[in-house]
Amino acid sequence: MPSPSLIELETSTALAAEDASAAEKWTDQYARHAILMSRLKPPPSSLSPAFDRSKFFHAKGGDKVEIERHRKKPEATEKSLSPVVVEEVHINDKHCKLLARELDPSRNKRIQVFKILRLNKHDADSQFQGLKYLYSSGWYDELIDMGIGRILVEAMKNHPKDERIHSLTCKIMSVASHAETRNVHQFDRNADTLMRFGGGQAVLKSMRDNIGQKSVQLNALYALFNMTFYSVERQRALAKGGILATQIVDTMNSYSDRDIQIECCAAVSHFAAESSDFFIKAGVLPAIVRAMEKHQESDELMELAAEALKDLFRIARFEYRGLLGKHMAPKLAELVKFQVRRENDSHSVLKQLISVVAKFCTHSENRRVFVEAGLDELVLAAFNKASEDGPTVCWILYTINLLIYYNAQESKKMKNLNAAKLIKSALKRHKIDFIQRNGRDALRMLQRKGKA
């Protein structure tokens, strides 16, 4: 099988999605097969037929809707899984007063707001005001059980170009599935429910339709990350076909803002396991390098970008790894040189860049390319600068071992650059087992292979 050329890696941005037609569909109700339903775990108990949503909403007499809190049918039907469908009515003064009233966390108020959202699904102002109230009120677990997932997806469908609505819906999905705040299992269940209502595909479509709106892109990236954080199945479902990878790369190419680039790099690292080939074909490497070159002073962006590069290389197919190393060698040399010359007390970014060099050097073809780019000398310069930082020294010694193990000429060069002296000083300063073991191995190889 012939290896792909570097031109193919950099210019092949058109990805044929296997289910491109399905990705354009919007789910109307849970009973109909959603885009991701067949690929995920069984539905949570809140969406099973045993759950009777009629205690929240019940229709009587045309477009008149009454709330019956204590009504309970003996058996729930499929129809009870979906909110009541009534004729649309214009928002009136009573609705405005309800939404403008001071925040009231009662359940009755939330039910009334749900009613307004369903009755006025095509009115952008009422949708925005109602969703804003629900976002401010909290109680996200209960809102998920009441069916806010469908309301969010329908709002995004009915108002495809409204920046306020798309930014707010993505923000609600992100907060409702944020697993670091309270019960991890509850928020994972919330994320699963949102995905089953089509939330993931809705967010991707929102990013594509609102590529010029920064707030939409930023909140959409938050939502995608949170909704798939604890589930490989959900990551795989969104990554299928390459639509997600293409959209993230498009966002990186459309914005140079630090905040957007940070979240894009985090998304690349997060979805790399399921989309490595798609990301590479879509041109993610030049996009990451541009972000690193523009924001070299940002430690957070540099560290996340380095993690993304390592994850892409780790998952990439074998025939791609040499091409990745050839493309990245001169770029990494410039980035490492900047960090070596940079005057700062923290070595976290330098450590991450050296770890990228080490990861790429695990592929034999990349070692020669990296030496030709001068990275061996830059690694020793980094050794001089960060000699007191244990984690950075660990990565430097590991990289030195990789560079000299298969190359006697490189061992002679390292010996002439006083690598042995640096290694001995590190062995005296650091008693970490990894440093002691790799340092002694490096000294033995320098002594054996570095002889003239």
Side-chain angles (χ1 to χ4, degrees):
M1 178 177 178
S3 300
S5 65
L6 185 61
I7 297 178
E8 292 176 348
L9 287 177
E10 294 180 346
T11 62
S12 177
T13 57
L15 302 177
E18 299 178 8
D19 56 349
S21 59
E24 294 293 334
K25 297 179 181 178
W26 293 79
T27 55
D28 291 331
Q29 59 183 19
Y30 178 79
R32 298 177 186 174
H33 294 288
I35 297 173
L36 308 175
M37 190 182 304
S38 61
R39 307 172 190 167
L40 301 178
K41 297 180 290 186
S45 58
S46 62
L47 293 180
S48 64
F51 179 71
D52 185 7
R53 192 170 287 169
S54 62
K55 62 185 177 181
F56 299 131
F57 297 97
H58 187 69
K60 281 186 179 181
D63 61 353
K64 182 180 179 183
V65 179
E66 295 181 4
I67 301 172
E68 298 184 5
R69 303 183 187 85
H70 304 292
R71 179 182 178 89
K72 187 174 183 181
K73 297 180 181 180
E75 292 184 0
T77 62
E78 182 179 305
K79 186 177 181 180
S80 67
L81 289 175
S82 301
V84 62
V85 179
V86 296
E87 295 181 4
E88 182 184 355
V89 297
H90 296 290
I91 189 166
N92 54 35
D93 294 339
K94 181 179 179 181
H95 294 163
C96 292
K97 291 179 181 178
L98 178 67
L99 295 175
R101 209 176 287 172
E102 192 172 338
L103 188 64
D104 176 14
S106 68
R107 181 182 181 84
N108 292 341
K109 176 71 174 291
R110 290 193 293 277
I111 292 175
Q112 293 179 65
V113 174
F114 262 69
K115 176 182 173 181
I116 293 174
L117 290 171
R118 296 189 191 283
L119 292 175
N120 301 275
K121 60 178 65 177
H122 293 289
D123 184 71
D125 290 334
S126 62
Q127 291 290 305
F128 175 71
Q129 294 299 331
L131 291 173
K132 184 179 179 181
Y133 168 81
L134 294 177
Y135 172 73
S136 303
S137 66
W139 298 88
Y140 298 110
D141 301 345
E142 183 179 348
L143 294 177
I144 292 292
D145 290 340
M146 292 171 66
I148 195 175
R150 183 185 177 188
I151 289 179
L152 296 175
V153 172
E154 286 188 344
M156 299 170 83
K157 173 186 175 182
N158 294 328
H159 308 280
K161 297 295 184 180
D162 194 309
E163 178 187 0
R164 302 175 306 163
I165 290 178
H166 282 263
S167 179
L168 187 56
T169 51
C170 291
K171 191 179 295 186
I172 292 174
M173 290 185 187
S174 173
V175 175
S177 56
H178 185 51
E180 297 181 7
T181 51
R182 287 194 297 168
N183 189 322
V184 171
H185 299 289
Q186 178 64 38
F187 278 81
D188 185 59
R189 186 182 73 89
N190 293 348
D192 188 71
T193 306
L194 289 170
M195 289 284 287
R196 289 176 179 278
F197 273 110
Q201 294 293 341
V203 171
L204 286 178
K205 191 173 188 303
S206 176
M207 294 179 71
R208 185 166 61 250
D209 294 342
N210 298 273
I211 191 65
Q213 307 296 338
K214 178 183 175 181
S215 61
V216 175
Q217 300 295 316
L218 193 59
N219 286 299
L221 289 168
Y222 291 149
L224 289 175
F225 188 91
N226 287 348
M227 285 194 294
T228 59
F229 187 72
Y230 280 104
S231 174
V232 177
E233 291 82 3
R234 294 197 291 270
Q235 294 176 24
R236 187 177 297 122
L238 280 181
K240 186 176 182 181
I243 298 175
L244 178 139
T246 305
Q247 185 56 56
I248 291 175
V249 175
D250 288 345
T251 301
M252 295 186 75
N253 292 331
S254 301
Y255 294 88
S256 60
D257 301 67
R258 172 181 167 276
D259 295 339
I260 292 283
Q261 295 295 333
I262 285 176
E263 295 307 320
C264 285
C265 290
V268 172
S269 178
H270 181 57
F271 290 103
E274 306 299 334
S275 302
S276 179
D277 289 351
F278 291 124
F279 275 122
I280 294 172
K281 291 178 181 178
V284 73
L285 288 179
I288 293 177
V289 170
R290 281 195 301 271
M292 297 175 78
E293 290 175 343
K294 185 174 179 60
H295 303 281
Q296 297 192 62
E297 300 286 346
S298 173
D299 292 357
E300 184 179 5
L301 185 142
M302 294 294 290
E303 291 176 14
L304 284 171
E307 287 296 329
L309 290 174
K310 288 189 290 185
D311 289 333
L312 287 170
F313 182 83
R314 177 174 55 86
I315 305 298
R317 288 185 290 174
F318 185 81
E319 58 267 26
Y320 278 173
R321 294 186 174 184
L323 296 172
L324 295 178
K326 187 180 298 185
H327 179 74
M328 288 300 301
K331 308 294 184 182
L332 282 173
E334 292 297 325
L335 294 169
V336 173
K337 184 185 297 184
F338 177 86
Q339 294 298 327
V340 168
R341 296 176 178 176
R342 181 183 175 192
E343 296 182 2
N344 63 330
D345 297 331
S346 175
H347 303 297
S348 59
V349 176
L350 186 60
K351 179 194 72 175
Q352 289 293 339
L353 290 176
I354 298 297
S355 69
V356 174
V357 175
K359 180 66 71 174
F360 275 67
C361 283
T362 56
H363 188 68
S364 58
E365 295 179 8
N366 292 336
R367 296 176 193 137
R368 176 184 55 82
V369 178
F370 277 33
V371 169
E372 291 175 356
L375 276 163
D376 53 346
E377 298 179 9
L378 289 171
V379 167
L380 292 179
F383 205 162
N384 273 317
K385 180 178 181 179
S387 59
E388 297 182 359
D389 186 67
T392 306
V393 172
C394 288
W395 280 110
I396 290 173
L397 289 174
Y398 180 58
T399 306
I400 290 174
N401 276 320
L402 289 172
L403 290 174
I404 67 179
Y405 187 77
Y406 294 105
N407 193 333
Q409 189 64 33
E410 182 61 24
S411 298
K412 296 177 184 178
K413 184 178 179 181
M414 285 280 187
K415 190 173 182 180
N416 293 333
L417 292 174
N418 295 323
K421 183 178 179 180
L422 292 172
I423 295 171
K424 290 177 181 178
S425 64
L427 292 175
K428 292 180 181 179
R429 184 179 290 110
H430 303 283
K431 302 304 179 182
I432 304 173
D433 291 341
F434 186 89
I435 292 178
Q436 294 292 320
R437 185 170 62 254
N438 279 271
R440 288 193 294 267
D441 290 344
L443 288 175
R444 282 195 294 268
M445 282 188 287
L446 286 173
Q447 185 177 7
R448 184 172 68 251
K449 295 186 177 184
K451 294 180 180 180

